Amino acid sequence: MVESSTEIMVDVNNLNVIFDKNHIIHDVSFKVKKGEIIGLFGISGAGKTTIIRVLTCQIEKKNWSGNVTVTNFSPDKKQNHPLILHNIGYVPQLELLNLYYELSPLANVEVFSSTYGLDTKEAKKIAQELFKILDIPSDTWNKRVKHMSGGEKKRLSMAIGLIHKPSVLFLDEPTTGVDASKRYSILSYLKKLNQKLDTTMFIITHDLEAALICDKTAILREGRMLEFDSPQNLINSLPSNGLVARFEINDLNEAKITRISEFSPVKKVLRVGNEVVEILMESFEENLPKLIQYMIERGVTVNSMSRDSASFRRFFQIRIQEEEEREKLKKNIGEA
Amino acid sequence: MRKNVRSDKKINMVKFQRSLFRIIRQMKKEFLLLLTDKFNMLLAIVVPPLVIFLFGFMMNSIPEGIHPVDCVVISYDSNVYIDEGTFNESLRDDFTLPYVNAANKSEYLNLIHFYNATEEIYAMESARMMLLASDIKVIISLPVGFSEFITLGLPGLIDCIPDASDIKTIQDNLNAVFDSVKTFVNDNNLTPQFQLTGYEEFTIPEGYSFRFNYNITLTLSFIVFGVSMVLTILVVVQEKPVARLLLTPAKRSEILISKYLTYTLILIIQVILLIISTLVCRLYLAGSILDLFIALFTIGFTGLSMGIFISTQSKTKTEANQLFFAVFIVILLLSGIFIPIDAMPIYLQVIAYILPLSHGDPMIRGIVTKGKSVFGFDFFALLILSIILVLISFIIFKRRKYEV
Ligand SMILES: Nc1ncnc2c1ncn2[C@@H]1O[C@H](COP(=O)(O)OP(=O)(O)OP(=O)(O)O)[C@@H](O)[C@H]1O
Ligand SMILES: [Mg+2]
């Protein structure tokens, strides 16, 4: 039991991807254990899809280097590709391009499951179990996919990705284009499947809420991995374990923000609304009263105040901002 | 009331103007979309005049004038002749050679071979084989007593056996033989009348529709080729989920093979139904049904592989459709329907023989009207063409870009 829980499903060491002289991924390394849900976060163009494409045998070896194994097989050898593809599932971003719309859900299941050598009966049995977990109404099972709702299609696509009980499931933007309420339900379905089937999941997403279900989150920026840890650990690495003070301030402006930043325990001032700032500081409990006093003395009028723990969203913002500032600095030094 | 009508009119006018405005804007969008696909534009605007040029060029480059008819002459002349005065026996064939010379001289005939039937007893069989193989169009046979009749001043007799499987050419062939007879008469200062007798080879027996039999061969090869091609033209381009299939252990070759096999099965059914329906419509089939089946299957398979080939190499549905149209027109023009292939300039002949439909009609016609075997030049040409198309389609499909 203990052994299996530490089994490494995906191992990436010093991955570099270069497309005709464009260095897309720089020295990315991480390990994923069995049963973990990994969230791969990063703004557009960061290289999320590219990493997944390496792991799923979609990029030729000549374009990448590094030691990579997926379910203990390396995608650098062509003969390993069928073995890896047998062990993984892939839920692509767009259903329109990745389901047979003119066929029924069960016929789709048959098409995809047969490629793994599953016989039809067995596949349909598994599919029906998955459909039930995913709440795909049974009256749609034999109708054409094109008549299903968007959310149903998405869940069908997930079921198909899981039909052969893969060890690792890759999901590209599973919540993009789904409305807010459904987003949460998709995330909870994923968690449910993860727990029932012990499937390792790899989720590419812009949706920072997805971190809620992730055991580990990876933050990617311009092809470099900035962080790879559990969301809680990342939040805890912030000053005072990520405690934030939220202030509503009259006539908030840049000058006032600068003034607040000048208070030495303050590590970060984030403007999160028109008149709202969030403040991170060292020794939160001790310094909060002092900060309020400081603000009153400097003529910064506080309307209301609340305290909170930073969300992953906040952490992500801070981390990306930090990186941008560091880069600017580097550039300035370089110019000077 | 009146005022209302007027303001209604005004409102309608405004509505109309707005609608017009929107239509014009939409048209602009359509043009922009059209322009994004350069290949499409090319096909829509450049290909039609190109087709006309090709057609005009073909028609104009056909040498005007005579296209000699391939023939053989068989002589049964040279019978025993007894001189009435002297009762001497002698062999008489004084006019065989002059006729052969006349046939040779005639620009309407192309004398391939001359048989003397008294020496070559299988002359007629050999000549029939040539007729069967379409190496010649007509057998000219000089009967026993040919020279004797002429010497005696009786009307000369010549037997003509034209290939009747192609009704359009029978009259031309007979006219060509007449021309040789005219030359023969003039050159030898003969007075007698000449009579062409004989029968048509490969005609259709009583009770069968000549017109149906004659036209069906062409129609069959067109239908089977066209339908297979149309059926497969989108089979690769429109299947987007292949990208996802490729993220399973499925192999590209397996995906394409399964397409070929499926459409081959459909083709088999289609060919069987075609044969049944033509037989029901009283097709006179000189050859065997199996030969006809193999022939139609081969033509259909060429269409199928051409369709899949176009599909694998097109990026969009429209591109595939357009390409289909362009290819089909060229195939049609060079199929030998409009212009007999051997009347085309040599480079067009080369292209025509590479294209499939130039082989379809002769192959089917040979089986249906002459009872030929399917395994001839046309069959192997189609076979090689389709094998090449299959190979190329696999190579292209291997490299086709798929992204989930
Ligand atoms: N085949 C390729 N050739 C050249 N450049 C490429 C190729 N594939 C990706 N890139 C570049 O690599 C960078 C990362 O792309 P990638 O698709 O991995 O980003 P992403 O993080 O998935 O973005 P998004 O969130 O928008 O999907 C982009 O700048 C892209 O232009
Ligand atoms: Mg992406």
Side-chain angles (χ1 to χ4, degrees):
Chain A
M1 266 331 266
V2 177
E3 278 252 325
S4 80
S5 71
T6 56
E7 196 184 324
I8 302 289
M9 300 310 290
V10 177
D11 193 353
V12 176
N13 292 297
N14 298 316
L15 174 64
N16 281 280
V17 181
I18 300 171
F19 285 117
D20 16 75
K21 293 187 185 146
N22 283 340
H23 204 145
I24 310 280
I25 301 291
H26 302 260
D27 285 319
V28 165
S29 304
F30 60 91
K31 283 184 185 14
V32 180
K33 290 188 209 133
K34 184 167 172 59
E36 281 184 329
I37 300 185
I38 307 297
L40 203 48
F41 298 89
I43 47 174
S44 196
K48 306 180 293 291
T49 303
T50 306
I51 291 179
I52 299 295
R53 279 163 57 81
V54 172
L55 300 182
T56 52
C57 312
Q58 295 180 71
I59 296 186
E60 279 183 67
K61 182 64 186 85
K62 66 168 203 268
N63 290 317
W64 62 271
S65 63
N67 279 326
V68 175
T69 61
V70 179
T71 64
N72 291 325
F73 299 107
S74 171
D76 63 359
K77 290 198 190 67
K78 250 208 153 95
Q79 67 263 32
N80 284 343
H81 289 190
L83 302 170
I84 293 174
L85 292 174
H86 211 279
N87 290 337
I88 65 168
Y90 197 102
V91 181
Q93 186 174 353
L94 298 170
E95 283 73 42
L96 180 60
L97 303 181
N98 293 294
L99 291 174
Y100 290 90
Y101 269 36
E102 302 303 324
L103 304 179
S104 69
L106 285 176
N108 269 279
V109 163
E110 208 180 318
V111 170
F112 289 100
S113 64
S114 65
T115 63
Y116 302 100
L118 286 177
D119 77 49
T120 312
K121 240 189 201 162
E122 199 186 333
K124 286 199 172 158
K125 220 180 92 202
I126 302 170
Q128 292 181 2
E129 280 166 28
L130 289 167
F131 288 1
K132 276 178 199 148
I133 299 175
L134 290 166
D135 292 328
I136 298 173
S138 57
D139 61 321
T140 62
W141 293 1
N142 286 306
K143 288 189 195 140
R144 291 179 184 205
V145 169
K146 68 174 176 190
H147 299 309
M148 298 173 94
S149 79
E152 284 164 357
K153 283 180 197 138
K154 197 129 235 163
R155 283 175 274 152
L156 169 62
S157 189
M158 286 180 192
I160 286 171
L162 286 164
I163 196 72
H164 58 298
K165 307 214 161 129
S167 319
V168 187
L169 182 68
F170 294 90
L171 299 116
D172 196 349
E173 312 268 7
T175 59
T176 318
V178 179
D179 72 63
S181 62
K182 297 240 177 63
R183 248 165 52 201
Y184 286 108
S185 77
I186 294 241
L187 292 174
S188 66
Y189 281 127
L190 286 175
K191 189 78 196 169
K192 204 157 130 191
L193 290 168
N194 164 260
Q195 283 164 349
K196 285 209 175 171
L197 310 171
D198 202 20
T199 314
T200 310
M201 290 185 181
F202 232 103
I203 305 175
I204 301 183
T205 183
H206 285 118
D207 179 5
L208 297 166
E209 308 304 329
L212 282 175
I213 61 158
C214 293
D215 298 301
K216 294 262 176 68
T217 48
I219 297 178
L220 223 63
R221 185 174 173 276
E222 296 186 351
R224 289 190 169 80
M225 177 100 75
L226 301 184
E227 302 288 349
F228 184 78
D229 208 338
S230 72
Q232 200 50 55
N233 283 350
L234 292 177
I235 291 166
N236 288 347
S237 71
L238 292 171
S240 306
N241 286 340
L243 283 177
V244 285
R246 182 181 292 120
F247 292 100
E248 207 186 315
I249 293 165
N250 264 356
D251 301 324
L252 182 64
N253 55 31
E254 283 305 312
K256 285 182 181 171
I257 290 175
T258 316
R259 212 162 302 152
I260 298 168
S261 323
E262 277 159 13
F263 182 59
S264 64
V266 168
K267 287 293 156 210
K268 196 116 245 161
V269 182
L270 289 164
R271 187 173 189 165
V272 296
N274 196 25
E275 299 206 316
V276 187
V277 286
E278 283 186 0
I279 295 171
L280 285 152
M281 57 193 153
E282 239 124 55
S283 313
F284 189 86
E285 305 295 350
E286 192 190 318
N287 285 323
L288 186 59
K290 290 181 189 164
L291 173 65
I292 296 170
Q293 177 129 30
Y294 171 88
M295 279 158 63
I296 293 167
E297 280 168 10
R298 306 291 146 115
V300 178
T301 323
V302 176
N303 279 343
S304 72
M305 188 234 130
S306 61
R307 42 178 294 173
D308 204 350
S309 203
S311 60
F312 179 74
R313 177 183 297 280
R314 220 45 95 213
F315 176 82
F316 184 83
Q317 271 178 341
I318 293 167
R319 194 63 187 81
I320 295 287
Q321 210 173 358
E322 248 177 43
E323 206 57 29
E324 273 163 8
E325 276 161 17
R326 190 174 301 166
E327 211 147 87
K328 238 186 246 164
L329 212 70
K330 238 200 239 162
K331 225 182 186 176
N332 288 346
I333 292 168
E335 274 166 19
Chain B
M1 244 345 241
R2 203 174 240 178
K3 217 178 165 187
N4 262 347
V5 170
R6 198 172 290 161
S7 67
D8 273 359
K9 254 189 184 164
K10 223 176 179 178
I11 289 170
N12 281 338
M13 198 58 208
V14 171
K15 273 188 182 166
F16 175 74
Q17 280 176 357
R18 287 197 182 147
S19 172
L20 200 66
F21 177 78
R22 284 193 294 263
I23 289 174
I24 290 169
R25 281 306 157 105
Q26 294 286 317
M27 280 176 66
K28 190 182 167 191
K29 173 207 72 187
E30 294 297 329
F31 270 110
L32 286 176
L33 287 176
L34 201 60
L35 283 169
T36 54
D37 199 340
K38 296 271 173 347
F39 184 77
N40 248 335
M41 278 300 277
L42 197 77
L43 279 168
I45 292 178
V46 180
V47 168
L50 219 61
V51 168
I52 301 298
F53 282 137
L54 178 66
F55 193 70
F57 175 71
M58 263 169 61
M59 290 299 187
N60 292 327
S61 61
I62 293 173
E64 293 291 342
I66 305 142
H67 195 64
V69 175
D70 295 334
C71 68
V72 296
V73 174
I74 304 176
S75 170
Y76 292 92
D77 201 5
S78 77
N79 59 321
V80 178
Y81 177 82
I82 299 167
D83 190 290
E84 279 171 14
T86 61
F87 297 101
N88 278 342
E89 262 184 24
S90 64
L91 289 177
R92 185 121 210 196
D93 57 359
D94 315 346
F95 286 105
T96 301
L97 222 57
Y99 176 75
V100 172
N101 286 336
N104 221 352
K105 209 168 117 190
S106 163
E107 53 183 352
Y108 291 95
L109 284 178
N110 177 24
L111 185 60
I112 303 266
H113 200 87
F114 167 68
Y115 293 103
N116 191 346
T118 46
E119 281 155 24
E120 291 173 72
I121 51 170
Y122 294 116
M124 189 47 96
E125 281 70 17
S126 309
R128 281 234 172 82
M129 290 303 286
M130 290 173 82
L131 203 61
L132 181 68
S134 300
D135 290 339
I136 54 169
K137 284 284 173 198
V138 61
I139 302 171
I140 301 167
S141 158
L142 307 179
V144 175
F146 175 70
S147 299
E148 191 177 1
F149 273 50
I150 296 171
T151 318
L152 296 176
L154 296 168
L157 288 177
I158 288 178
D159 286 336
C160 250
I161 307 168
D163 181 351
S165 68
D166 190 357
I167 46 171
K168 276 187 299 189
T169 59
I170 294 178
Q171 198 52 52
D172 287 348
N173 297 344
L174 292 181
N175 289 345
V177 178
F178 262 122
D179 181 72
S180 71
V181 172
K182 219 160 50 186
T183 315
F184 172 59
V185 169
N186 284 340
D187 286 2
N188 298 284
N189 297 319
L190 299 172
T191 44
Q193 293 288 307
F194 270 81
Q195 220 174 303
L196 280 189
T197 58
Y199 55 92
E200 291 168 352
E201 184 76 357
F202 312 125
T203 47
I204 285 148
E206 240 5 75
Y208 289 90
S209 161
F210 193 68
R211 192 157 299 166
F212 174 70
N213 269 276
Y214 179 70
N215 288 304
I216 196 64
T217 53
L218 192 71
T219 317
L220 273 178
S221 48
F222 255 90
I223 290 179
V224 80
F225 180 81
V227 170
S228 304
M229 202 165 154
V230 168
L231 211 57
T232 48
I233 207 83
L234 295 178
V235 99
V236 175
V237 260
Q238 79 179 357
E239 191 186 352
K240 294 286 186 300
V242 167
R244 187 174 190 177
L245 275 179
L246 292 175
L247 289 178
T248 71
K251 295 201 180 71
R252 280 176 189 248
S253 51
E254 294 165 356
I255 294 170
L256 198 57
I257 286 173
S258 59
K259 287 189 195 301
Y260 268 106
L261 290 181
T262 309
Y263 285 93
T264 302
L265 283 178
I266 292 174
L267 174 64
I268 289 174
I269 296 169
Q270 183 194 332
V271 169
I272 290 173
L273 291 177
L274 269 178
I275 291 179
I276 291 173
S277 51
T278 47
L279 289 177
V280 166
C281 290
R282 295 189 55 72
L283 170 80
Y284 169 72
L285 179 58
S288 79
I289 290 189
L290 185 66
D291 279 321
L292 182 60
F293 176 84
I294 296 173
L296 285 174
F297 177 82
T298 316
I299 298 168
F301 190 76
T302 318
L304 189 157
S305 46
M306 178 112 22
I308 293 187
F309 161 69
I310 288 176
S311 201
T312 50
Q313 82 90 51
S314 303
K315 284 181 199 71
T316 62
K317 276 197 222 180
T318 341
E319 191 180 326
N321 281 324
Q322 293 272 36
L323 206 57
F324 161 70
F325 184 67
V327 166
F328 203 77
I329 282 186
V330 174
I331 288 178
L332 200 70
L333 284 183
L334 295 179
S335 66
I337 305 167
F338 299 107
I339 307 142
I341 294 172
D342 35 350
M344 292 176 190
I346 188 74
Y347 42 92
L348 283 182
Q349 281 193 33
V350 172
I351 299 172
Y353 281 120
I354 291 172
L355 296 175
L357 277 186
S358 59
H359 302 291
D361 182 51
M363 183 163 69
I364 304 277
R365 193 175 296 282
I367 295 165
V368 170
T369 60
K370 296 184 181 176
K372 271 211 276 189
S373 155
V374 65
F375 300 111
F377 166 68
D378 292 312
F379 171 79
F380 291 107
L382 286 178
L383 194 68
I384 290 170
L385 176 63
S386 51
I387 288 174
I388 290 173
L389 286 172
V390 169
L391 289 179
I392 297 177
S393 68
F394 269 90
I395 292 169
I396 297 176
F397 189 66
K398 276 254 172 208
R399 298 190 178 159
R400 199 180 158 85
K401 241 186 132 117
Y402 278 107
E403 244 166 63
V404 285

